[in-house]
Amino acid sequence: MDKLLIHGGARLDGETTVSGAKNAALPILCAALLSAEPVTLTNVPQLQDIATLLRLLGQMGVAVERDADRVTLDASKLDNPLAPYEMVKTMRASILVLGPLMARVGEARVSLPGGCAIGARPVDQHLKGLQAMGAKVAVEHGYIHATVAGGLRGARLFTDMVTVTGTENLMMAACLAKGETVIENAAREPEVVDLANCLVAMGARISGAGTDVIRIHGVERLHGAEHRIMPDRIETGTYLCAAAATGGSIRLTGTSTAYIDAVVDKLLDAGCDIDSERDAIRLTAPARLSAVSIRTAPYPAFPTDMQAQFMAINCVAEGTAVIRETIFENRFMHAVELQRLGAEIRIDGNTAVVTGVDRLEGASVMATDLRASAGLIIAGLVADGETLVDRIYHLDRGYEKLGEKLSQLGARVSRVR
Ligand code: UD1
């Protein structure tokens, strides 16, 4: 199993390019199931999760052509609406095939995702919404089996909590339903908007994406389209944090500060200078950051996917920070690993109190999930000596060419077996 070896202490300095957003690409690839015409996507990141989803779509009968960041999907011969356990267990986002399959063929068999390292993560809201649209849903032998006779019907949907993939699944299902669907308490994440933009390009009638009430007027069919995936705001934030922690100065291209206001705000509070260009961001960090407290919440508030990275920068900042995680119940697994590097962190339920120390010391640490791994890498970049991060397959799921990009920025990192 690959590990990442980091020689800490190098100040990040240089330029790299941010890839397309994983969390926009995943639902948008699934949106191709809604049409019998080819959908072409560009700026698709080359990641493990994307490869898994393309394999899953291929098994369903979708013809997939891929050339670097360009992917064309042709779902005209879709004939096997099944997402098997072996795939769903490696990537929970596979649940995103459920809505499109119900809309297009009126049947889906999708494995229940089960738990994951960061919590229970049920999909009850996805199912409740589909049932309100007329679907019959049974859970048998660990599989969701959903069917609808005569097609989905538009409905007024209300989710009990803000759910990103839940909103995306229901929005896709509603595109081909009869009549109007209104999703209340919808997720406002930019990735939901990117998906809506692609669906509109395919002929869907959607308004309100980006607000908490989305209206979808069902149409007979969707046609083919070409769409460019938005930049990855979490990858953007992660490199900004890495530079900030090392007292560095970097420029990120292919991205912008749009959609990361909450993160930029906190980096400014920590003492960084940030210049926003049209398609680039420049960050210059002070020699030592000030501690910044954060509370995760749905967009536009501070993203849970940036929590681990901010815990890492607070480990070496001046002062004490309070970190509150309100989205996932078990998302502090990185804290004990950071403690192995010498961090001072106290956990009480969903709150972590981090007191900055003068220096961290390199050690072997274990990645537990995608974003936790990013936090460990940032800590390794500032720690004295060598840090060996085990289980970096988590990172391969969500960060394109991580080692290469960090090296471009002057970090001393290498992959070891
Ligand atoms: C998406 C993102 C993930 C991010 C998360 C929160 C993708 C592929 N993944 O995950 O990176 O961390 O949003 O911003 O876009 N919940 C239920 N029942 C449901 C659905 C959700 O109880 O049916 C709960 C979850 O357990 C969690 C909260 O709602 O506590 C939010 O989860 P949700 O927004 O659905 O996360 P994902 O869409 O899975």
Side-chain angles (χ1 to χ4, degrees):
M1 210 181 285
D2 280 8
K3 302 175 188 196
L4 196 74
L5 180 65
I6 308 169
H7 292 264
R11 186 175 162 272
L12 295 200
D13 188 357
E15 184 169 311
T16 194
T17 302
V18 168
S19 302
K22 168 179 87 74
N23 285 355
L26 292 171
I28 293 173
L29 289 165
C30 294
L33 290 168
L34 288 164
S35 174
E37 294 177 21
V39 172
T40 297
L41 305 171
T42 55
N43 207 29
V44 178
Q46 296 189 35
L47 298 169
Q48 203 49 54
D49 272 8
I50 300 291
T52 305
L53 183 60
L54 291 179
R55 222 170 51 244
L56 174 60
L57 295 173
Q59 284 189 6
M60 291 181 178
V62 179
V64 178
E65 264 177 50
R66 180 165 198 180
D67 180 14
D69 75 336
R70 187 182 181 87
V71 177
T72 299
L73 302 130
D74 176 348
S76 56
K77 299 199 172 63
L78 170 65
D79 61 358
N80 181 27
L82 168 74
Y85 176 63
E86 297 68 45
M87 287 192 162
V88 179
K89 77 172 183 207
T90 60
M91 190 187 57
R92 298 178 42 81
S94 313
I95 190 71
L96 284 163
V97 299
L98 181 60
L101 288 175
M102 288 302 288
R104 175 92 186 283
V105 295
E107 177 171 14
R109 212 179 270 276
V110 178
S111 169
L112 271 176
C116 72
I118 61 174
R121 298 183 81 170
V123 291
D124 54 308
Q125 302 301 311
H126 304 230
L127 305 186
K128 187 178 92 170
L130 288 172
Q131 282 166 326
M133 296 170 82
K136 293 222 169 349
V137 178
V139 177
E140 313 157 335
H141 307 291
Y143 277 76
I144 300 161
H145 184 206
T147 50
V148 63
L152 295 171
R153 295 184 300 276
R156 205 171 184 87
L157 309 178
F158 182 85
T159 55
D160 295 349
M161 77 289 295
V162 176
T163 156
V164 179
T165 49
T167 301
E168 291 165 346
N169 238 338
L170 297 174
M171 183 164 74
M172 289 191 278
C175 285
L176 299 178
K178 284 187 198 76
E180 190 183 59
T181 298
V182 181
I183 307 175
E184 299 206 36
N185 201 24
R188 293 180 281 168
E189 267 67 2
E191 293 77 11
V192 173
V193 179
D194 205 28
L195 169 63
N197 289 341
C198 179
L199 291 168
V200 168
M202 293 167 70
R205 288 176 58 196
I206 300 174
S207 63
T211 75
D212 59 3
V213 182
I214 303 179
R215 286 172 196 279
I216 306 110
H217 200 94
V219 296
E220 277 288 295
R221 64 182 58 82
L222 294 183
H223 50 72
E226 182 158 341
H227 177 82
R228 183 176 170 81
I229 305 290
M230 65 176 284
D232 197 309
R233 64 193 168 100
I234 304 302
E235 189 193 15
T236 302
T238 300
Y239 287 115
L240 292 179
C241 281
T246 63
S249 173
I250 63 163
R251 184 164 178 270
L252 297 177
T253 56
T255 187
S256 85
T257 51
Y259 318 125
I260 56 164
D261 286 340
V263 170
V264 164
D265 246 29
K266 291 294 173 183
L267 288 169
L268 292 173
D269 286 352
C272 298
D273 274 337
I274 296 180
D275 279 334
S276 183
E277 301 167 32
R278 203 163 65 88
D279 285 314
I281 306 175
R282 183 183 290 282
L283 173 140
T284 307
R288 187 162 190 198
L289 299 170
S290 305
V292 280
S293 293
I294 56 169
R295 177 180 177 278
T296 67
Y299 189 84
F302 191 91
T304 174
D305 285 352
M306 284 301 301
Q307 181 254 104
Q309 299 87 321
F310 269 74
M311 185 178 286
I313 67 173
N314 277 311
C315 287
V316 289
E318 177 80 50
T320 296
V322 177
I323 297 180
R324 287 212 170 78
E325 172 59 55
T326 76
I327 307 284
F328 293 113
E329 72 266 32
N330 190 21
R331 212 176 195 182
F332 282 146
M333 309 255 286
H334 41 284
V336 279
E337 299 297 315
L338 291 168
Q339 283 164 346
R340 290 178 46 74
L341 302 176
E344 266 188 42
I345 304 169
R346 213 162 22 87
I347 305 279
D348 182 9
N350 72 345
T351 302
V353 179
V354 187
T355 303
V357 294
D358 289 340
R359 43 195 285 276
L360 295 176
E361 280 177 8
S364 290
V365 289
M366 184 94 82
T368 49
D369 72 67
L370 171 58
R371 307 306 172 184
S373 324
L376 297 180
I377 301 244
I378 292 170
L381 290 172
V382 289
D384 292 343
E386 289 184 357
T387 296
L388 188 63
V389 185
D390 199 352
R391 298 200 181 164
I392 57 161
Y393 59 82
H394 288 295
L395 284 160
D396 296 335
R397 292 187 43 211
Y399 289 93
E400 186 177 43
K401 300 187 185 126
L402 178 91
E404 217 171 287
K405 291 188 187 187
L406 282 173
S407 300
Q408 279 170 4
L409 297 173
R412 290 171 297 183
V413 297
S414 53
R415 235 170 217 270
V416 291
R417 286 250 156 198

